[in-house]
Each structure stands twice: as structure tokens, then as C-alpha cells.
Amino acid sequence: MKKTKINWKKLLLRTLCVVLCLCVGGLALVFGINAYVVYSTDQHILSVEEAAKLEDVDCILILGCGIRDDGTPSVMLRDRLRRGVELYQLGAAPKLLMTGDHGRVNYDEVYTMKAFAVDKGIPSEDVFMDHAGFSTYESMYRAKEIFQADKIIIVTQTYHLFRSIYIARSLGIEAYGVDADLVGYGNGNGREMREVLARVKDTFTCIFKPEPTYLGEQIPIWGDGSLTHDENSDFS
């Protein structure tokens, strides 16, 4: 039987062509999804003045963003809190929902967030804490299912607003966003690149809609924020 001689050069060339096509196709998919998320939500990003004119908004949802070792807000979180307090004071919504990571005893984003708002004169009963907002998706899912919010204003930096609004609307929430870009932040290119990948990931997450890490009993946002206190909360 005559052996077939393998043309290794041709095989290698074909393999490289396949790999190249897959890479180009993958990049097209990533940037196509990213563009869809951005352009489908851009019209829902409002100015402070526009947001203040909305009617029947259930709450202003402020997304957590890290706290320092001394328990004070990071720069980004501080700006989100300032913007959220501003919107509350303008009457954009009657309640604030602080959502973030409280997955460890010695790390409590939402306590820091509520303390900031209360220190600015906002009544404790108007500030809710979501202790299990471990991701943007989980924060939005819990806002809908636990806090019964149907119409919200999301406060975060612009790069993060597109994905946040997209997730919320995919889950059936009428969501709008107001940016908290009060100062300049470093590493913008790196942050934007990570966010592109996060938008792609959460687009697929929104298709399958998995339950978050924790659910629990409903705490309607129109009630008393004190119901979200834990044993370490000392708000009056």
C-alpha cells in the first residue's frame, strides 16, 4: 500500500488560517456585543437635572466600589455616594439602596455607604443596605426580587453605567443611570478593557438569569431601611 505523503507546510498554513479566522471571529463577537450593550443603553443615561424630573422612581441604587482599610470609601465610591445623596436631596427618589460586598465580617461596604449618607443628613429609614451585592448582576437581581424595585436610578461611573443599565433592564427593571464622574481616575484604558469583557460575560448571564448567591425574604424598598441593619449597625 502506497503511503500518502503529508504536506506539512500546507497543513500548517491551513491550521494558521483556521486559528486566525477564529481569532478574528472572536474579536468581532466581543466588540459587537460590547457595542450593542453601549448603544442600547446610552439613551437611558441622564443628567442630574433630567433624573430629578423622573416620576415614581422607587430608589436611587448606588453600587459599591471598595473601601479602604480604615473603613472610609474609595475615591470612586465616595463620588458615587456624593452623586446619590445629591439626587436624593433633589427629590429624584424617596429611598437610597446601597448595594455592595459584605461577605466578610471585617469588610462591610454597605455600612460605610449608609454611614456616609446618614452623616449627610439623610434619615436612616430612607437608606437600605443590600449586604449581598457581590456583583453588578447580583445587585440588580436582588434589587428586583428582594427589594421589589421596579423603577430605579443607578449611580456609578459612566464606564460602568452601560452594563448596569443593561442588566437591570434585562431583568425587567425600568432603569436609568446618572454618572458619578466627579474627578479623574487613573488607569482608564485598563479599566475600560476589563469592562468590555465584563459586558460580554454579563450579556450571556442575562440570557440564562441564574439566581444570585443569596436571596432571602423580601424587604420592600418603600418600607423602613432599618430592616436591613445587622447586629453591627448602630444608626439612630
Side-chain angles (χ1 to χ4, degrees), residues 1-226:
M1 182 179 292
K2 186 177 180 181
K3 291 184 178 180
T4 302
K5 187 176 180 180
I6 299 174
N7 188 328
W8 292 105
K9 184 180 290 187
K10 184 179 290 186
L11 180 61
L12 178 60
L13 184 61
R14 287 179 178 174
T15 302
L16 289 174
C17 287
V18 170
V19 171
L20 181 61
C21 288
L22 289 173
C23 289
V24 171
L27 286 173
L29 179 65
V30 166
F31 288 105
I33 291 174
N34 175 70
Y36 175 74
V37 170
V38 170
Y39 291 114
S40 66
T41 57
D42 183 63
Q43 70 269 28
H44 302 301
I45 298 178
L46 309 177
S47 67
V48 171
E49 294 74 21
E50 290 171 332
K53 293 177 182 177
L54 292 173
E55 297 180 352
D56 302 320
V57 178
D58 294 316
C59 68
I60 298 158
L61 185 151
I62 304 176
L63 288 157
C65 186
I67 56 175
R68 299 189 178 99
D69 292 338
D70 62 359
T72 58
S74 62
V75 175
M76 277 191 169
L77 181 56
R78 178 201 65 200
D79 288 350
R80 295 179 189 185
L81 293 166
R82 286 177 174 173
R83 183 69 86 202
V85 167
E86 179 186 9
L87 286 165
Y88 174 91
Q89 292 172 338
L90 288 171
K95 304 289 182 178
L96 287 170
L97 175 55
M98 308 300 194
T99 176
D101 185 353
H102 185 194
R104 292 164 282 160
V105 174
N106 61 345
Y107 186 84
D108 189 348
E109 286 183 0
V110 292
Y111 178 90
T112 294
M113 294 166 75
K114 177 160 184 172
F116 183 99
V118 172
D119 286 346
K120 297 297 182 183
I122 297 179
S124 176
E125 60 266 26
D126 286 348
V127 187
F128 286 70
M129 294 185 289
D130 177 8
H131 299 268
F134 301 128
S135 68
T136 306
Y137 173 81
E138 291 187 279
S139 292
M140 299 307 163
Y141 196 113
R142 286 174 54 82
K144 176 72 172 178
E145 299 299 327
I146 300 299
F147 298 98
Q148 301 291 284
D150 292 317
K151 185 175 182 179
I152 65 175
I153 297 171
I154 302 168
V155 176
T156 184
Q157 277 69 34
T158 299
Y159 80 93
H160 191 204
L161 273 178
F162 303 109
R163 177 163 57 102
S164 303
I165 295 170
Y166 181 85
I167 293 170
R169 287 186 167 263
S170 295
L171 293 172
I173 302 172
E174 184 180 348
Y176 301 89
V178 175
D179 76 77
D181 300 316
L182 304 187
V183 299
Y185 311 102
N187 193 28
N189 291 335
R191 186 166 52 248
E192 181 60 34
M193 199 63 238
R194 290 191 298 272
E195 185 62 19
V196 167
L197 299 177
R199 289 169 192 155
V200 173
K201 176 183 72 68
D202 279 340
T203 297
F204 288 101
T205 302
C206 288
I207 293 173
F208 298 103
K209 296 181 173 61
E211 289 190 353
T213 306
Y214 298 109
L215 277 173
E217 296 182 3
Q218 292 178 349
I219 310 172
I221 196 70
W222 53 84
D224 188 341
S226 300

